[in-house]
PDB file of all heavy atoms in Angstrom:
ATOM      1  N   VAL J   1     115.648  69.072  90.270  1.00  0.00           N
ATOM      2  CA  VAL J   1     114.928  68.164  91.156  1.00  0.00           C
ATOM      3  C   VAL J   1     113.591  67.866  90.478  1.00  0.00           C
ATOM      4  O   VAL J   1     113.223  68.539  89.507  1.00  0.00           O
ATOM      5  CB  VAL J   1     114.719  68.783  92.557  1.00  0.00           C
ATOM      6  CG1 VAL J   1     116.062  69.058  93.221  1.00  0.00           C
ATOM      7  CG2 VAL J   1     113.888  70.051  92.492  1.00  0.00           C
ATOM      8  N   PRO J   2     112.866  66.846  90.916  1.00  0.00           N
ATOM      9  CA  PRO J   2     111.592  66.523  90.257  1.00  0.00           C
ATOM     10  C   PRO J   2     110.698  67.755  90.112  1.00  0.00           C
ATOM     11  O   PRO J   2     110.514  68.521  91.064  1.00  0.00           O
ATOM     12  CB  PRO J   2     110.974  65.477  91.185  1.00  0.00           C
ATOM     13  CG  PRO J   2     112.162  64.798  91.800  1.00  0.00           C
ATOM     14  CD  PRO J   2     113.166  65.895  92.007  1.00  0.00           C
ATOM     15  N   ALA J   3     110.163  67.935  88.920  1.00  0.00           N
ATOM     16  CA  ALA J   3     109.362  69.129  88.640  1.00  0.00           C
ATOM     17  C   ALA J   3     108.199  69.271  89.608  1.00  0.00           C
ATOM     18  O   ALA J   3     107.890  70.375  90.072  1.00  0.00           O
ATOM     19  CB  ALA J   3     108.847  69.082  87.197  1.00  0.00           C
ATOM     20  N   VAL J   4     107.538  68.176  89.908  1.00  0.00           N
ATOM     21  CA  VAL J   4     106.437  68.178  90.866  1.00  0.00           C
ATOM     22  C   VAL J   4     106.643  67.034  91.844  1.00  0.00           C
ATOM     23  O   VAL J   4     106.738  65.868  91.431  1.00  0.00           O
ATOM     24  CB  VAL J   4     105.065  68.014  90.182  1.00  0.00           C
ATOM     25  CG1 VAL J   4     103.964  67.911  91.228  1.00  0.00           C
ATOM     26  CG2 VAL J   4     104.785  69.183  89.232  1.00  0.00           C
ATOM     27  N   ALA J   5     106.745  67.376  93.116  1.00  0.00           N
ATOM     28  CA  ALA J   5     106.842  66.374  94.172  1.00  0.00           C
ATOM     29  C   ALA J   5     106.137  66.948  95.389  1.00  0.00           C
ATOM     30  O   ALA J   5     106.536  68.002  95.899  1.00  0.00           O
ATOM     31  CB  ALA J   5     108.301  66.056  94.494  1.00  0.00           C
ATOM     32  N   TRP J   6     105.078  66.319  95.830  1.00  0.00           N
ATOM     33  CA  TRP J   6     104.326  66.850  96.964  1.00  0.00           C
ATOM     34  C   TRP J   6     105.238  66.967  98.179  1.00  0.00           C
ATOM     35  O   TRP J   6     105.981  66.058  98.507  1.00  0.00           O
ATOM     36  CB  TRP J   6     103.143  65.951  97.298  1.00  0.00           C
ATOM     37  CG  TRP J   6     102.115  65.853  96.217  1.00  0.00           C
ATOM     38  CD1 TRP J   6     101.758  64.747  95.524  1.00  0.00           C
ATOM     39  CD2 TRP J   6     101.306  66.919  95.700  1.00  0.00           C
ATOM     40  NE1 TRP J   6     100.789  65.041  94.603  1.00  0.00           N
ATOM     41  CE2 TRP J   6     100.489  66.371  94.691  1.00  0.00           C
ATOM     42  CE3 TRP J   6     101.204  68.279  95.987  1.00  0.00           C
ATOM     43  CZ2 TRP J   6      99.576  67.148  93.977  1.00  0.00           C
ATOM     44  CZ3 TRP J   6     100.294  69.049  95.274  1.00  0.00           C
ATOM     45  CH2 TRP J   6      99.492  68.485  94.286  1.00  0.00           C
ATOM     46  N   SER J   7     105.179  68.103  98.816  1.00  0.00           N
ATOM     47  CA  SER J   7     106.019  68.316  99.992  1.00  0.00           C
ATOM     48  C   SER J   7     105.621  67.381 101.127  1.00  0.00           C
ATOM     49  O   SER J   7     104.446  67.084 101.327  1.00  0.00           O
ATOM     50  CB  SER J   7     105.887  69.771 100.464  1.00  0.00           C
ATOM     51  OG  SER J   7     106.607  69.968 101.650  1.00  0.00           O
ATOM     52  N   ARG J   8     106.617  66.964 101.875  1.00  0.00           N
ATOM     53  CA  ARG J   8     106.372  66.131 103.051  1.00  0.00           C
ATOM     54  C   ARG J   8     106.611  66.906 104.341  1.00  0.00           C
ATOM     55  O   ARG J   8     106.616  66.319 105.423  1.00  0.00           O
ATOM     56  CB  ARG J   8     107.288  64.907 103.013  1.00  0.00           C
ATOM     57  CG  ARG J   8     106.954  63.914 101.890  1.00  0.00           C
ATOM     58  CD  ARG J   8     108.023  62.866 101.747  1.00  0.00           C
ATOM     59  NE  ARG J   8     109.263  63.438 101.200  1.00  0.00           N
ATOM     60  CZ  ARG J   8     110.380  62.746 100.993  1.00  0.00           C
ATOM     61  NH1 ARG J   8     110.421  61.458 101.302  1.00  0.00           N
ATOM     62  NH2 ARG J   8     111.439  63.351 100.501  1.00  0.00           N
ATOM     63  N   THR J   9     106.770  68.212 104.231  1.00  0.00           N
ATOM     64  CA  THR J   9     107.026  69.042 105.408  1.00  0.00           C
ATOM     65  C   THR J   9     105.708  69.453 106.058  1.00  0.00           C
ATOM     66  O   THR J   9     104.978  70.301 105.543  1.00  0.00           O
ATOM     67  CB  THR J   9     107.820  70.312 105.021  1.00  0.00           C
ATOM     68  OG1 THR J   9     109.032  69.929 104.387  1.00  0.00           O
ATOM     69  CG2 THR J   9     108.130  71.135 106.268  1.00  0.00           C
ATOM     70  N   GLU J  10     105.396  68.823 107.181  1.00  0.00           N
ATOM     71  CA  GLU J  10     104.158  69.138 107.889  1.00  0.00           C
ATOM     72  C   GLU J  10     104.326  70.453 108.633  1.00  0.00           C
ATOM     73  O   GLU J  10     105.302  70.671 109.344  1.00  0.00           O
ATOM     74  CB  GLU J  10     103.822  68.023 108.884  1.00  0.00           C
ATOM     75  CG  GLU J  10     103.511  66.677 108.240  1.00  0.00           C
ATOM     76  CD  GLU J  10     102.165  66.663 107.530  1.00  0.00           C
ATOM     77  OE1 GLU J  10     101.329  67.560 107.816  1.00  0.00           O
ATOM     78  OE2 GLU J  10     101.940  65.765 106.702  1.00  0.00           O
ATOM     79  N   ARG J  11     103.384  71.341 108.439  1.00  0.00           N
ATOM     80  CA  ARG J  11     103.379  72.625 109.137  1.00  0.00           C
ATOM     81  C   ARG J  11     101.970  72.803 109.701  1.00  0.00           C
ATOM     82  O   ARG J  11     101.085  73.304 109.014  1.00  0.00           O
ATOM     83  CB  ARG J  11     103.734  73.769 108.194  1.00  0.00           C
ATOM     84  CG  ARG J  11     105.099  73.643 107.502  1.00  0.00           C
ATOM     85  CD  ARG J  11     105.316  74.799 106.530  1.00  0.00           C
ATOM     86  NE  ARG J  11     106.489  74.620 105.682  1.00  0.00           N
ATOM     87  CZ  ARG J  11     107.696  75.136 105.914  1.00  0.00           C
ATOM     88  NH1 ARG J  11     107.889  75.854 107.016  1.00  0.00           N
ATOM     89  NH2 ARG J  11     108.693  74.951 105.077  1.00  0.00           N
ATOM     90  N   THR J  12     101.780  72.394 110.928  1.00  0.00           N
ATOM     91  CA  THR J  12     100.447  72.446 111.508  1.00  0.00           C
ATOM     92  C   THR J  12     100.539  72.740 112.991  1.00  0.00           C
ATOM     93  O   THR J  12     101.559  72.480 113.622  1.00  0.00           O
ATOM     94  CB  THR J  12      99.699  71.120 111.266  1.00  0.00           C
ATOM     95  OG1 THR J  12      98.333  71.256 111.706  1.00  0.00           O
ATOM     96  CG2 THR J  12     100.350  69.962 112.006  1.00  0.00           C
ATOM     97  N   GLY J  13      99.480  73.308 113.537  1.00  0.00           N
ATOM     98  CA  GLY J  13      99.450  73.636 114.951  1.00  0.00           C
ATOM     99  C   GLY J  13      98.935  75.048 115.173  1.00  0.00           C
ATOM    100  O   GLY J  13      99.105  75.936 114.321  1.00  0.00           O
ATOM    101  N   GLY J  14      98.320  75.261 116.314  1.00  0.00           N
ATOM    102  CA  GLY J  14      97.734  76.555 116.616  1.00  0.00           C
ATOM    103  C   GLY J  14      98.721  77.698 116.578  1.00  0.00           C
ATOM    104  O   GLY J  14      98.381  78.811 116.146  1.00  0.00           O
ATOM    105  N   ASN J  15      99.954  77.446 117.006  1.00  0.00           N
ATOM    106  CA  ASN J  15     100.948  78.524 116.998  1.00  0.00           C
ATOM    107  C   ASN J  15     101.281  78.969 115.578  1.00  0.00           C
ATOM    108  O   ASN J  15     101.466  80.158 115.304  1.00  0.00           O
ATOM    109  CB  ASN J  15     102.215  78.090 117.732  1.00  0.00           C
ATOM    110  CG  ASN J  15     102.925  76.915 117.057  1.00  0.00           C
ATOM    111  OD1 ASN J  15     102.279  75.925 116.705  1.00  0.00           O
ATOM    112  ND2 ASN J  15     104.223  77.014 116.887  1.00  0.00           N
ATOM    113  N   LEU J  16     101.348  78.010 114.647  1.00  0.00           N
ATOM    114  CA  LEU J  16     101.640  78.360 113.254  1.00  0.00           C
ATOM    115  C   LEU J  16     100.464  79.083 112.609  1.00  0.00           C
ATOM    116  O   LEU J  16     100.657  80.027 111.830  1.00  0.00           O
ATOM    117  CB  LEU J  16     101.989  77.102 112.462  1.00  0.00           C
ATOM    118  CG  LEU J  16     103.216  76.311 112.934  1.00  0.00           C
ATOM    119  CD1 LEU J  16     103.468  75.134 112.004  1.00  0.00           C
ATOM    120  CD2 LEU J  16     104.447  77.205 112.989  1.00  0.00           C
ATOM    121  N   TRP J  17      99.250  78.661 112.934  1.00  0.00           N
ATOM    122  CA  TRP J  17      98.075  79.335 112.366  1.00  0.00           C
ATOM    123  C   TRP J  17      97.963  80.755 112.904  1.00  0.00           C
ATOM    124  O   TRP J  17      97.627  81.683 112.153  1.00  0.00           O
ATOM    125  CB  TRP J  17      96.812  78.533 112.683  1.00  0.00           C
ATOM    126  CG  TRP J  17      96.846  77.139 112.112  1.00  0.00           C
ATOM    127  CD1 TRP J  17      97.498  76.736 110.982  1.00  0.00           C
ATOM    128  CD2 TRP J  17      96.207  75.984 112.647  1.00  0.00           C
ATOM    129  NE1 TRP J  17      97.311  75.381 110.777  1.00  0.00           N
ATOM    130  CE2 TRP J  17      96.526  74.891 111.785  1.00  0.00           C
ATOM    131  CE3 TRP J  17      95.417  75.735 113.773  1.00  0.00           C
ATOM    132  CZ2 TRP J  17      96.063  73.598 112.022  1.00  0.00           C
ATOM    133  CZ3 TRP J  17      94.957  74.444 113.999  1.00  0.00           C
ATOM    134  CH2 TRP J  17      95.282  73.385 113.121  1.00  0.00           C
ATOM    135  N   LEU J  18      98.259  80.937 114.183  1.00  0.00           N
ATOM    136  CA  LEU J  18      98.268  82.286 114.750  1.00  0.00           C
ATOM    137  C   LEU J  18      99.313  83.143 114.043  1.00  0.00           C
ATOM    138  O   LEU J  18      99.054  84.307 113.695  1.00  0.00           O
ATOM    139  CB  LEU J  18      98.567  82.224 116.247  1.00  0.00           C
ATOM    140  CG  LEU J  18      98.740  83.573 116.952  1.00  0.00           C
ATOM    141  CD1 LEU J  18      97.469  84.414 116.853  1.00  0.00           C
ATOM    142  CD2 LEU J  18      99.129  83.356 118.422  1.00  0.00           C
ATOM    143  N   ALA J  19     100.485  82.568 113.814  1.00  0.00           N
ATOM    144  CA  ALA J  19     101.555  83.299 113.136  1.00  0.00           C
ATOM    145  C   ALA J  19     101.133  83.714 111.733  1.00  0.00           C
ATOM    146  O   ALA J  19     101.423  84.833 111.286  1.00  0.00           O
ATOM    147  CB  ALA J  19     102.816  82.448 113.074  1.00  0.00           C
ATOM    148  N   GLU J  20     100.437  82.828 111.025  1.00  0.00           N
ATOM    149  CA  GLU J  20      99.981  83.172 109.678  1.00  0.00           C
ATOM    150  C   GLU J  20      98.932  84.277 109.695  1.00  0.00           C
ATOM    151  O   GLU J  20      98.924  85.149 108.822  1.00  0.00           O
ATOM    152  CB  GLU J  20      99.431  81.926 108.979  1.00  0.00           C
ATOM    153  CG  GLU J  20     100.497  81.051 108.372  1.00  0.00           C
ATOM    154  CD  GLU J  20     101.330  81.802 107.349  1.00  0.00           C
ATOM    155  OE1 GLU J  20     100.805  82.138 106.276  1.00  0.00           O
ATOM    156  OE2 GLU J  20     102.505  82.071 107.643  1.00  0.00           O
ATOM    157  N   ALA J  21      98.057  84.242 110.680  1.00  0.00           N
ATOM    158  CA  ALA J  21      97.059  85.308 110.791  1.00  0.00           C
ATOM    159  C   ALA J  21      97.742  86.643 111.063  1.00  0.00           C
ATOM    160  O   ALA J  21      97.395  87.669 110.453  1.00  0.00           O
ATOM    161  CB  ALA J  21      96.063  84.979 111.906  1.00  0.00           C
ATOM    162  N   VAL J  22      98.718  86.646 111.959  1.00  0.00           N
ATOM    163  CA  VAL J  22      99.445  87.880 112.285  1.00  0.00           C
ATOM    164  C   VAL J  22     100.227  88.382 111.074  1.00  0.00           C
ATOM    165  O   VAL J  22     100.185  89.573 110.725  1.00  0.00           O
ATOM    166  CB  VAL J  22     100.403  87.636 113.471  1.00  0.00           C
ATOM    167  CG1 VAL J  22     101.348  88.818 113.659  1.00  0.00           C
ATOM    168  CG2 VAL J  22      99.608  87.373 114.745  1.00  0.00           C
ATOM    169  N   ALA J  23     100.948  87.468 110.414  1.00  0.00           N
ATOM    170  CA  ALA J  23     101.758  87.861 109.260  1.00  0.00           C
ATOM    171  C   ALA J  23     100.895  88.438 108.145  1.00  0.00           C
ATOM    172  O   ALA J  23     101.239  89.462 107.535  1.00  0.00           O
ATOM    173  CB  ALA J  23     102.545  86.658 108.742  1.00  0.00           C
ATOM    174  N   THR J  24      99.763  87.801 107.869  1.00  0.00           N
ATOM    175  CA  THR J  24      98.891  88.264 106.796  1.00  0.00           C
ATOM    176  C   THR J  24      98.231  89.587 107.137  1.00  0.00           C
ATOM    177  O   THR J  24      98.157  90.499 106.300  1.00  0.00           O
ATOM    178  CB  THR J  24      97.819  87.205 106.487  1.00  0.00           C
ATOM    179  OG1 THR J  24      98.447  85.940 106.238  1.00  0.00           O
ATOM    180  CG2 THR J  24      97.000  87.601 105.266  1.00  0.00           C
ATOM    181  N   ALA J  25      97.756  89.707 108.365  1.00  0.00           N
ATOM    182  CA  ALA J  25      97.129  90.960 108.777  1.00  0.00           C
ATOM    183  C   ALA J  25      98.120  92.114 108.670  1.00  0.00           C
ATOM    184  O   ALA J  25      97.784  93.194 108.153  1.00  0.00           O
ATOM    185  CB  ALA J  25      96.605  90.842 110.211  1.00  0.00           C
ATOM    186  N   GLY J  26      99.330  91.896 109.142  1.00  0.00           N
ATOM    187  CA  GLY J  26     100.337  92.953 109.078  1.00  0.00           C
ATOM    188  C   GLY J  26     100.659  93.355 107.653  1.00  0.00           C
ATOM    189  O   GLY J  26     100.793  94.548 107.340  1.00  0.00           O
ATOM    190  N   LEU J  27     100.775  92.364 106.780  1.00  0.00           N
ATOM    191  CA  LEU J  27     101.071  92.647 105.381  1.00  0.00           C
ATOM    192  C   LEU J  27      99.962  93.454 104.730  1.00  0.00           C
ATOM    193  O   LEU J  27     100.221  94.466 104.046  1.00  0.00           O
ATOM    194  CB  LEU J  27     101.264  91.326 104.618  1.00  0.00           C
ATOM    195  CG  LEU J  27     101.410  91.448 103.095  1.00  0.00           C
ATOM    196  CD1 LEU J  27     102.659  92.242 102.732  1.00  0.00           C
ATOM    197  CD2 LEU J  27     101.428  90.058 102.454  1.00  0.00           C
ATOM    198  N   VAL J  28      98.720  93.051 104.925  1.00  0.00           N
ATOM    199  CA  VAL J  28      97.600  93.735 104.285  1.00  0.00           C
ATOM    200  C   VAL J  28      97.441  95.157 104.824  1.00  0.00           C
ATOM    201  O   VAL J  28      97.206  96.102 104.062  1.00  0.00           O
ATOM    202  CB  VAL J  28      96.297  92.927 104.467  1.00  0.00           C
ATOM    203  CG1 VAL J  28      95.097  93.701 103.926  1.00  0.00           C
ATOM    204  CG2 VAL J  28      96.409  91.576 103.758  1.00  0.00           C
ATOM    205  N   VAL J  29      97.575  95.325 106.138  1.00  0.00           N
ATOM    206  CA  VAL J  29      97.496  96.672 106.700  1.00  0.00           C
ATOM    207  C   VAL J  29      98.587  97.553 106.119  1.00  0.00           C
ATOM    208  O   VAL J  29      98.346  98.714 105.757  1.00  0.00           O
ATOM    209  CB  VAL J  29      97.588  96.630 108.236  1.00  0.00           C
ATOM    210  CG1 VAL J  29      97.765  98.041 108.800  1.00  0.00           C
ATOM    211  CG2 VAL J  29      96.342  95.991 108.833  1.00  0.00           C
ATOM    212  N   LEU J  30      99.793  97.032 105.993  1.00  0.00           N
ATOM    213  CA  LEU J  30     100.895  97.802 105.413  1.00  0.00           C
ATOM    214  C   LEU J  30     100.572  98.239 103.989  1.00  0.00           C
ATOM    215  O   LEU J  30     100.727  99.419 103.631  1.00  0.00           O
ATOM    216  CB  LEU J  30     102.178  96.969 105.430  1.00  0.00           C
ATOM    217  CG  LEU J  30     103.372  97.543 104.649  1.00  0.00           C
ATOM    218  CD1 LEU J  30     103.798  98.883 105.238  1.00  0.00           C
ATOM    219  CD2 LEU J  30     104.523  96.549 104.632  1.00  0.00           C
ATOM    220  N   VAL J  31     100.123  97.307 103.173  1.00  0.00           N
ATOM    221  CA  VAL J  31      99.838  97.608 101.769  1.00  0.00           C
ATOM    222  C   VAL J  31      98.788  98.707 101.649  1.00  0.00           C
ATOM    223  O   VAL J  31      98.953  99.674 100.892  1.00  0.00           O
ATOM    224  CB  VAL J  31      99.381  96.332 101.032  1.00  0.00           C
ATOM    225  CG1 VAL J  31      98.806  96.680  99.660  1.00  0.00           C
ATOM    226  CG2 VAL J  31     100.545  95.358 100.885  1.00  0.00           C
ATOM    227  N   PHE J  32      97.701  98.590 102.414  1.00  0.00           N
ATOM    228  CA  PHE J  32      96.626  99.569 102.283  1.00  0.00           C
ATOM    229  C   PHE J  32      96.948 100.874 102.993  1.00  0.00           C
ATOM    230  O   PHE J  32      96.467 101.937 102.592  1.00  0.00           O
ATOM    231  CB  PHE J  32      95.308  98.967 102.756  1.00  0.00           C
ATOM    232  CG  PHE J  32      94.717  98.041 101.734  1.00  0.00           C
ATOM    233  CD1 PHE J  32      95.066  96.701 101.719  1.00  0.00           C
ATOM    234  CD2 PHE J  32      93.871  98.516 100.757  1.00  0.00           C
ATOM    235  CE1 PHE J  32      94.558  95.845 100.754  1.00  0.00           C
ATOM    236  CE2 PHE J  32      93.355  97.672  99.790  1.00  0.00           C
ATOM    237  CZ  PHE J  32      93.703  96.327  99.774  1.00  0.00           C
ATOM    238  N   ALA J  33      97.752 100.827 104.029  1.00  0.00           N
ATOM    239  CA  ALA J  33      98.199 102.069 104.664  1.00  0.00           C
ATOM    240  C   ALA J  33      99.025 102.892 103.685  1.00  0.00           C
ATOM    241  O   ALA J  33      98.861 104.115 103.582  1.00  0.00           O
ATOM    242  CB  ALA J  33      99.018 101.755 105.916  1.00  0.00           C
ATOM    243  N   LEU J  34      99.896 102.220 102.951  1.00  0.00           N
ATOM    244  CA  LEU J  34     100.692 102.922 101.943  1.00  0.00           C
ATOM    245  C   LEU J  34      99.796 103.503 100.848  1.00  0.00           C
ATOM    246  O   LEU J  34      99.963 104.649 100.428  1.00  0.00           O
ATOM    247  CB  LEU J  34     101.711 101.962 101.327  1.00  0.00           C
ATOM    248  CG  LEU J  34     102.836 101.477 102.248  1.00  0.00           C
ATOM    249  CD1 LEU J  34     103.640 100.382 101.558  1.00  0.00           C
ATOM    250  CD2 LEU J  34     103.746 102.619 102.646  1.00  0.00           C
ATOM    251  N   ALA J  35      98.825 102.692 100.392  1.00  0.00           N
ATOM    252  CA  ALA J  35      97.945 103.151  99.312  1.00  0.00           C
ATOM    253  C   ALA J  35      97.079 104.317  99.748  1.00  0.00           C
ATOM    254  O   ALA J  35      96.900 105.290  99.016  1.00  0.00           O
ATOM    255  CB  ALA J  35      97.071 101.998  98.828  1.00  0.00           C
ATOM    256  N   ARG J  36      96.555 104.256 100.950  1.00  0.00           N
ATOM    257  CA  ARG J  36      95.591 105.256 101.394  1.00  0.00           C
ATOM    258  C   ARG J  36      96.241 106.537 101.899  1.00  0.00           C
ATOM    259  O   ARG J  36      95.549 107.516 102.170  1.00  0.00           O
ATOM    260  CB  ARG J  36      94.684 104.657 102.463  1.00  0.00           C
ATOM    261  CG  ARG J  36      93.788 103.565 101.876  1.00  0.00           C
ATOM    262  CD  ARG J  36      92.646 103.184 102.776  1.00  0.00           C
ATOM    263  NE  ARG J  36      91.694 102.375 102.019  1.00  0.00           N
ATOM    264  CZ  ARG J  36      90.398 102.306 102.275  1.00  0.00           C
ATOM    265  NH1 ARG J  36      89.906 103.027 103.244  1.00  0.00           N
ATOM    266  NH2 ARG J  36      89.621 101.551 101.558  1.00  0.00           N
ATOM    267  N   THR J  37      97.548 106.527 102.039  1.00  0.00           N
ATOM    268  CA  THR J  37      98.244 107.749 102.461  1.00  0.00           C
ATOM    269  C   THR J  37      99.177 108.257 101.377  1.00  0.00           C
ATOM    270  O   THR J  37     100.035 109.100 101.627  1.00  0.00           O
ATOM    271  CB  THR J  37      99.046 107.501 103.754  1.00  0.00           C
ATOM    272  OG1 THR J  37      99.945 106.401 103.570  1.00  0.00           O
ATOM    273  CG2 THR J  37      98.111 107.195 104.912  1.00  0.00           C
ATOM    274  N   GLY J  38      99.005 107.734 100.155  1.00  0.00           N
ATOM    275  CA  GLY J  38      99.758 108.255  99.028  1.00  0.00           C
ATOM    276  C   GLY J  38     101.247 107.950  99.052  1.00  0.00           C
ATOM    277  O   GLY J  38     102.041 108.717  98.511  1.00  0.00           O
ATOM    278  N   ARG J  39     101.616 106.821  99.657  1.00  0.00           N
ATOM    279  CA  ARG J  39     103.039 106.474  99.750  1.00  0.00           C
ATOM    280  C   ARG J  39     103.354 105.175  99.005  1.00  0.00           C
ATOM    281  O   ARG J  39     104.219 104.408  99.416  1.00  0.00           O
ATOM    282  CB  ARG J  39     103.451 106.354 101.211  1.00  0.00           C
ATOM    283  CG  ARG J  39     103.349 107.653 102.008  1.00  0.00           C
ATOM    284  CD  ARG J  39     103.674 107.420 103.471  1.00  0.00           C
ATOM    285  NE  ARG J  39     102.654 106.579 104.080  1.00  0.00           N
ATOM    286  CZ  ARG J  39     102.857 105.884 105.222  1.00  0.00           C
ATOM    287  NH1 ARG J  39     104.023 105.922 105.822  1.00  0.00           N
ATOM    288  NH2 ARG J  39     101.873 105.154 105.723  1.00  0.00           N
ATOM    289  N   THR J  40     102.661 104.933  97.922  1.00  0.00           N
ATOM    290  CA  THR J  40     102.862 103.678  97.201  1.00  0.00           C
ATOM    291  C   THR J  40     104.264 103.550  96.613  1.00  0.00           C
ATOM    292  O   THR J  40     104.706 102.440  96.330  1.00  0.00           O
ATOM    293  CB  THR J  40     101.823 103.538  96.074  1.00  0.00           C
ATOM    294  OG1 THR J  40     101.865 104.709  95.246  1.00  0.00           O
ATOM    295  CG2 THR J  40     100.428 103.365  96.635  1.00  0.00           C
ATOM    296  N   THR J  41     104.955 104.662  96.435  1.00  0.00           N
ATOM    297  CA  THR J  41     106.331 104.570  95.918  1.00  0.00           C
ATOM    298  C   THR J  41     107.244 103.856  96.903  1.00  0.00           C
ATOM    299  O   THR J  41     108.296 103.350  96.514  1.00  0.00           O
ATOM    300  CB  THR J  41     106.897 105.964  95.616  1.00  0.00           C
ATOM    301  OG1 THR J  41     106.806 106.787  96.792  1.00  0.00           O
ATOM    302  CG2 THR J  41     106.144 106.622  94.476  1.00  0.00           C
ATOM    303  N   ALA J  42     106.836 103.804  98.170  1.00  0.00           N
ATOM    304  CA  ALA J  42     107.641 103.112  99.182  1.00  0.00           C
ATOM    305  C   ALA J  42     107.321 101.626  99.258  1.00  0.00           C
ATOM    306  O   ALA J  42     107.990 100.893  99.988  1.00  0.00           O
ATOM    307  CB  ALA J  42     107.425 103.753 100.555  1.00  0.00           C
ATOM    308  N   ALA J  43     106.307 101.177  98.518  1.00  0.00           N
ATOM    309  CA  ALA J  43     105.846  99.793  98.636  1.00  0.00           C
ATOM    310  C   ALA J  43     106.933  98.748  98.361  1.00  0.00           C
ATOM    311  O   ALA J  43     107.050  97.774  99.113  1.00  0.00           O
ATOM    312  CB  ALA J  43     104.642  99.556  97.735  1.00  0.00           C
ATOM    313  N   PRO J  44     107.741  98.880  97.298  1.00  0.00           N
ATOM    314  CA  PRO J  44     108.749  97.842  97.058  1.00  0.00           C
ATOM    315  C   PRO J  44     109.667  97.615  98.252  1.00  0.00           C
ATOM    316  O   PRO J  44     109.898  96.466  98.671  1.00  0.00           O
ATOM    317  CB  PRO J  44     109.512  98.381  95.846  1.00  0.00           C
ATOM    318  CG  PRO J  44     108.516  99.245  95.131  1.00  0.00           C
ATOM    319  CD  PRO J  44     107.728  99.893  96.219  1.00  0.00           C
ATOM    320  N   ALA J  45     110.181  98.694  98.828  1.00  0.00           N
ATOM    321  CA  ALA J  45     111.083  98.563  99.970  1.00  0.00           C
ATOM    322  C   ALA J  45     110.327  98.130 101.223  1.00  0.00           C
ATOM    323  O   ALA J  45     110.780  97.236 101.961  1.00  0.00           O
ATOM    324  CB  ALA J  45     111.802  99.884 100.223  1.00  0.00           C
ATOM    325  N   ALA J  46     109.163  98.736 101.463  1.00  0.00           N
ATOM    326  CA  ALA J  46     108.432  98.462 102.693  1.00  0.00           C
ATOM    327  C   ALA J  46     107.883  97.035 102.735  1.00  0.00           C
ATOM    328  O   ALA J  46     108.018  96.330 103.743  1.00  0.00           O
ATOM    329  CB  ALA J  46     107.288  99.465 102.858  1.00  0.00           C
ATOM    330  N   VAL J  47     107.278  96.599 101.642  1.00  0.00           N
ATOM    331  CA  VAL J  47     106.703  95.255 101.619  1.00  0.00           C
ATOM    332  C   VAL J  47     107.810  94.203 101.635  1.00  0.00           C
ATOM    333  O   VAL J  47     107.713  93.193 102.348  1.00  0.00           O
ATOM    334  CB  VAL J  47     105.785  95.073 100.394  1.00  0.00           C
ATOM    335  CG1 VAL J  47     105.284  93.640 100.303  1.00  0.00           C
ATOM    336  CG2 VAL J  47     104.605  96.041 100.477  1.00  0.00           C
ATOM    337  N   GLY J  48     108.874  94.432 100.877  1.00  0.00           N
ATOM    338  CA  GLY J  48     109.994  93.501 100.912  1.00  0.00           C
ATOM    339  C   GLY J  48     110.599  93.400 102.298  1.00  0.00           C
ATOM    340  O   GLY J  48     110.907  92.309 102.788  1.00  0.00           O
TER     341      GLY J  48
END
C-alpha cells in the first residue's frame, strides 16, 4: 500500500481521551511496579 498516506480515521471525543489517559496510566504503573519490586523478568508477558 502507499508508503505514506495520512490516515483519514478520526478518533476524537472526551470518551476516547479518557480511555487513553486510563490506558497510559495503567501501563506506566505496571511497568514501574514491576521494576520497583524486582519482577522485571515478568515484563514481557505482563506488558504484552
Side-chain angles (χ1 to χ4, degrees):
V1 298
V4 175
W6 296 117
S7 176
R8 292 170 290 179
T9 303
E10 295 288 342
R11 302 177 190 264
T12 187
N15 63 313
L16 299 183
W17 300 330
L18 174 61
E20 278 301 291
V22 169
T24 307
L27 173 63
V28 174
V29 170
L30 170 62
V31 168
F32 283 88
L34 292 172
R36 293 195 167 208
T37 55
R39 296 176 293 160
T40 54
T41 55
V47 175

